Amino acid sequence: MHEMSLAEGVLQLIEDSAKTQDFSRVKTVWLEIGQLAGVEVEAMKFCFDAVTRDSIAQDAKLEIIETPGQAWCLHCAEVVNVTALYDACPKCGSHQVQVTGGNEMRVKELDVE
Amino acid sequence: MCNVCGCGAGETTIDGKAVVHDEHAHSHGGHFHVHADGTAHDHDHAHDHDHSHEPVQGKHMHYHLHEDGSSHEHVHDHAHGHSHSHDHAHDHSHSHADGSVHYGLGPAGAHAPGMSQSRMVKIERDILSKNDGYANDNRGYLAEHGIFALNLVSSPGSGKTTLLVKSITALNGSLPLAVIEGDQQTDNDAARIRATGAPALQINTGKGCHLDAFMVGKAIHQLELKDDSLLLIENVGNLVCPASFDLGEAHKVAILSVTEGEDKPLKYPDMFRASDLMLLNKCDLLPYLTFDADLAVANARRVNPDIKVIRISATSGEGMDEWLDWIRAGCKKAVDRKSIDGR
């Protein structure tokens, strides 16, 4: 359940930016979650609702933008799509692949007032 | 039909009455829709509006997915400076597996007239940035003091604490060291470490499933670590969550015992990917098990081609020399780097 800690991290970022950007209510939160980030989207939504209760983000809608997993294949010397960390290169079958994208988890944008 | 703005496949405008921007009001031109059937259209649309706008820079790409499965996207320019809070519910270029793309329908998305104006705030920050900040502080402190820190991660019951006790005993005071123990409850593990004579601090995470960099930072200062020493952090027994939380350590060390399964690296790939060393523990039991050690190593390398593996047994002592040599090499590097940086 590290989604709970992540949700708390999201709320902290929101509260920090509320101070600098001067807003009192958050209506929508956009998160960018990579396919390889190890974050369970449903659990994230559940935890987000729990941690934002009685906060400026109470009842805020959580929008999750999922980004695809990408890796650099050393054999093919190109970027290939992967859906899991243990995936082989879909072209050559090698496991000599380095994840290059899809492991991010970021707060992208807020709709606030 | 689009259930918010009222536009649908074959329709040419979204000016329809189904627009749910009750009192919300803005006009934006230049919507360009391309439907799945190949038809395309431009349109402007306007709504009444009772609040002021702030300039918003740039263009938004909107992507609509209709209930009938067709879709279209359009770009509109915000140069006219409104922040319409997306109540008209154009989805921001992402759709969901469940087909719900409009976020303007719920109470949170509805525009409340008379309230302060709604606007978009760009954040673009990593969710873990707070933790990573503390981790960088820890890493800086450790580097400054030539301290080599390891974050030991595994399932509960893999033999982490026993391995630590044996390692500390084998080092026999040749290296100054301290241990941070993480568990949800009890200080049993810290007590086991203290019995070896090494200083140990127990962190109880309560309901938490992992140590984070803030907790470890506090522990580091409380322990008053010696310069040029070794810090062993035994994380909460959990192969999932600790993978995401940088503590400021030099390396994560994953411990996999042969009484578990060969496919654990595949089942919990994040942890084996985040680790630089895997200790395959309890190897003295291999003759009694059907565990295929080579397969376990191959699986770990599928997830992390660079992972170093040491086969070890805290009971028989197999692999202990290699493990301790690896620790000593790391400690030396930390000390060397400190003297270079300190110059």
Side-chain angles (χ1 to χ4, degrees), chain B residues 153-206:
Chain B
V153 291
S154 80
S155 327
S158 66
K160 281 190 300 297
T161 312
T162 303
L163 189 65
L164 281 186
V165 167
K166 295 279 176 144
S167 303
I168 294 166
T169 310
L171 286 168
N172 194 21
S174 61
L175 268 176
L177 64 87
V179 177
I180 296 172
E181 283 287 342
D183 280 301
Q184 284 200 321
Q185 300 294 346
T186 84
D187 68 345
N188 294 353
D189 282 359
R192 283 171 68 186
I193 300 292
R194 280 188 212 112
T196 67
L201 193 83
Q202 181 79 46
I203 299 175
N204 285 134
T205 57

Side-chain angles (χ1 to χ4, degrees), chain B:
Chain B
M1 182 179 90
C2 163
N3 56 2
V4 173
C5 67
C7 66
E11 294 181 14
T12 52
T13 70
I14 61 166
D15 281 333
K17 54 190 181 325
V19 176
V20 281
H21 310 54
D22 318 81
E23 329 204 86
H24 181 82
H26 55 269
S27 144
H28 39 138
H31 284 54
F32 180 62
H33 290 218
V34 182
H35 297 285
D37 61 5
T39 62
H41 63 263
D42 279 291
H43 67 86
D44 290 350
H45 65 128
H47 317 282
D48 292 338
H49 193 345
D50 66 352
H51 65 75
S52 64
H53 289 298
E54 269 200 354
V56 177
Q57 296 301 315
K59 288 184 174 180
H60 281 200
M61 173 69 96
H62 291 312
Y63 179 77
H64 290 221
L65 182 65
H66 299 288
E67 282 172 358
D68 64 3
S70 67
S71 63
H72 66 262
E73 51 183 294
H74 62 93
V75 176
H76 66 131
D77 199 324
H78 285 277
H80 55 292
H82 72 252
S83 63
H84 51 73
S85 80
H86 302 267
D87 291 0
H88 59 297
H90 301 305
D91 189 55
H92 270 240
S93 66
H94 61 277
S95 60
H96 303 280
D98 62 2
S100 64
V101 290
H102 296 295
Y103 42 78
L105 286 176
H111 184 77
M115 296 272 297
S116 59
Q117 66 199 6
S118 176
R119 63 198 159 100
M120 301 301 291
V121 175
K122 285 259 177 219
I123 304 277
E124 300 285 356
R125 280 188 69 190
D126 197 289
I127 295 175
L128 288 171
S129 52
K130 279 254 163 170
N131 182 74
D132 292 347
Y134 289 121
N136 285 337
D137 293 348
N138 293 348
R139 187 164 281 120
Y141 178 86
L142 295 168
E144 207 177 300
H145 294 271
I147 298 165
F148 182 56
L150 295 176
N151 178 3
L152 293 106
V153 291
S154 80
S155 327
S158 66
K160 281 190 300 297
T161 312
T162 303
L163 189 65
L164 281 186
V165 167
K166 295 279 176 144
S167 303
I168 294 166
T169 310
L171 286 168
N172 194 21
S174 61
L175 268 176
L177 64 87
V179 177
I180 296 172
E181 283 287 342
D183 280 301
Q184 284 200 321
Q185 300 294 346
T186 84
D187 68 345
N188 294 353
D189 282 359
R192 283 171 68 186
I193 300 292
R194 280 188 212 112
T196 67
L201 193 83
Q202 181 79 46
I203 299 175
N204 285 134
T205 57
K207 303 261 184 299
C209 49
H210 56 267
L211 294 177
D212 65 37
F214 180 75
M215 299 173 188
V216 169
K218 287 196 86 162
I220 284 174
H221 293 289
Q222 214 165 312
L223 271 169
E224 296 176 359
L225 301 175
K226 292 197 175 77
D227 277 19
D228 307 339
S229 65
L230 168 67
L231 175 64
L232 298 163
I233 305 164
E234 182 181 337
N235 218 313
V236 178
N238 175 352
L239 270 181
V240 184
C241 312
S244 303
F245 292 84
D246 184 8
L247 305 179
E249 72 275 357
H251 303 284
K252 283 192 181 69
V253 177
I255 295 150
L256 175 65
S257 66
V258 299
T259 51
E260 302 173 52
E262 299 95 340
D263 55 354
K264 268 215 172 152
L266 302 183
K267 287 178 171 169
Y268 303 97
D270 293 287
M271 189 61 85
F272 290 88
R273 206 188 127 64
S275 300
D276 298 314
L277 172 65
M278 176 170 92
L279 298 176
L280 194 61
N281 195 23
K282 307 189 188 178
C283 274
D284 56 300
L285 296 177
L286 279 174
Y288 313 104
L289 303 169
T290 56
F291 187 89
D292 182 342
D294 292 337
L295 179 59
V297 173
N299 284 338
R301 296 223 162 104
R302 271 181 71 178
V303 177
N304 181 355
D306 298 326
I307 198 165
K308 180 181 166 61
V309 178
I310 298 176
R311 298 182 189 203
I312 200 165
S313 164
T315 303
S316 73
E318 174 191 348
M320 285 297 276
D321 287 344
E322 193 181 352
W323 158 235
L324 297 178
D325 284 347
W326 186 83
I327 290 177
R328 287 190 192 97
C331 286
K332 186 175 179 304
K333 220 166 155 183
V335 174
D336 291 349
R337 193 167 297 157
K338 179 189 77 171
S339 53
I340 292 167
D341 292 347
R343 237 175 250 164

Side-chain angles (χ1 to χ4, degrees), chain A residues 16-34:
Chain A
D16 286 354
S17 72
K19 281 176 212 149
T20 56
Q21 306 268 344
D22 190 31
F23 56 84
S24 55
R25 194 165 91 85
V26 180
K27 301 200 295 183
T28 309
V29 179
W30 279 268
L31 296 186
E32 185 175 59
I33 304 285

